[in-house]
Amino acid sequence: DAGVIQSPRHEVTEMGQEVTLRCKPISGHNSLFWYRQTMMRGLELLIYFNNNVPIDDSGMPEDRFSAKMPNASFSTLKIQPSEPRDSAVYFCASSLVVTASSYEQYFGPGTRLTVT
Amino acid sequence: AQSVAQPEDQVNVAEGNPLTVKCTYSVSGNPYLFWYVQYPNRGLQFLLKYITGDNLVKGSYGFEAEFNKSQTSFHLKKPSALVSDSALYFCAVRDITQAGTALIFGKGTTLSVSS
């Protein structure tokens, strides 16, 4: 299995530009999570989907952030317009809920976003 | 409210010595507990989990964790540390307020193993 795939791995953009981060979860997984990691705030859950439906987006910082999951194999996180304080590493993770013995999440390699 | 705490920002240990990375939790009901490791410039990797059963859980890379219900703890342990174990370690608990598999992560503990 290829694991969770994220693209791009690195993104450098100027303030005000639109940024789109992409994620392909592990095939067959039914939950997908977007996290943001910074030195100051640690690992923050932004939003998560179950069977392609957003369940909890309370972690999304503000309206500039949006996420979609049009199908089971693809999700995007968009920031428009981007600001320097959005600079962070963004992780996507997926999991498969079958029984109570599952629940572990599998993380992608992350996208390092730098907004100048 | 549910939470997980990692009381130590950093743990230093010499190679060959036993290591412990501490985690305590606060949840309603039976906890589902997890440990993850993050190497520099990488995503988090699943190490082990406790759902039910034996309080001593064995995981990847020789790590194990002991679930202690009375102390609400789930400490990560390894009998003999390696320099390659140096990384950032996260404890997590399942968020039971949400359907599905949402986890609440601790702030992380940096483990530094010296040769």
Side-chain angles (χ1 to χ4, degrees):
Chain A
D1 197 319
V4 176
I5 298 172
Q6 292 187 246
S7 64
R9 293 293 309 277
H10 302 274
E11 177 78 35
V12 180
T13 190
E14 292 183 348
M15 181 174 62
Q17 297 298 306
E18 177 180 296
V19 175
T20 299
L21 311 182
R22 297 173 175 81
C23 176
K24 176 178 171 57
I26 292 173
S27 178
H29 280 193
N30 56 5
S31 292
L32 183 140
F33 306 80
W34 282 101
Y35 292 89
R36 178 172 69 176
Q37 186 178 37
T38 61
M39 289 292 292
M40 290 295 294
R41 300 174 69 90
L43 192 64
E44 303 173 276
L45 176 65
L46 300 178
I47 185 171
Y48 93 94
F49 297 83
N50 200 32
N51 294 320
N52 311 337
V53 176
I55 301 299
D56 180 11
D57 65 355
S58 60
M60 296 286 262
E62 46 198 274
D63 292 346
R64 298 185 296 107
F65 286 68
S66 62
K68 294 182 179 180
M69 192 166 186
N71 57 63
S73 59
F74 184 66
S75 177
T76 59
L77 178 67
K78 185 177 294 186
I79 308 173
Q80 167 62 20
S82 58
E83 296 182 2
R85 59 188 168 133
D86 301 330
S87 298
V89 180
Y90 291 80
F91 289 105
C92 177
S94 69
S95 67
L96 173 64
V97 180
V98 177
T99 68
S101 63
S102 57
Y103 292 106
E104 59 266 30
Q105 297 178 16
Y106 294 88
F107 282 71
T111 295
R112 182 174 297 275
L113 173 64
T114 303
V115 183
T116 61
Chain B
Q2 300 179 103
S3 64
V4 61
Q6 295 180 243
E8 301 157 318
D9 290 337
Q10 178 144 353
V11 171
N12 298 309
V13 64
E15 187 174 32
N17 284 357
L19 69 87
T20 299
V21 183
K22 296 180 180 178
C23 172
T24 59
Y25 65 90
S26 175
V27 299
S28 301
N30 296 321
Y32 292 2
L33 297 159
F34 304 80
W35 275 103
Y36 285 79
V37 61
Q38 184 181 26
Y39 298 102
N41 301 313
R42 303 285 294 276
L44 278 69
Q45 295 179 31
F46 169 72
L47 273 179
L48 51 80
K49 65 182 177 185
Y50 171 83
I51 304 297
T52 187
D54 194 347
N55 289 344
L56 185 63
V57 179
K58 295 188 182 299
S60 306
Y61 311 122
F63 283 94
E64 58 189 25
E66 186 171 10
F67 171 67
N68 188 317
K69 189 172 184 177
S70 63
Q71 298 186 4
T72 62
S73 67
F74 189 56
H75 300 332
L76 182 70
K77 300 181 180 183
K78 187 173 183 180
S80 179
L82 300 173
V83 173
S84 58
D85 293 330
S86 298
L88 181 59
Y89 290 81
F90 291 94
C91 182
V93 63
R94 181 196 167 206
D95 182 357
I96 64 169
T97 65
Q98 298 284 353
T101 60
L103 300 179
I104 299 170
F105 284 87
K107 293 186 176 181
T109 298
T110 298
L111 173 66
S112 178
V113 182
S114 57
S115 58

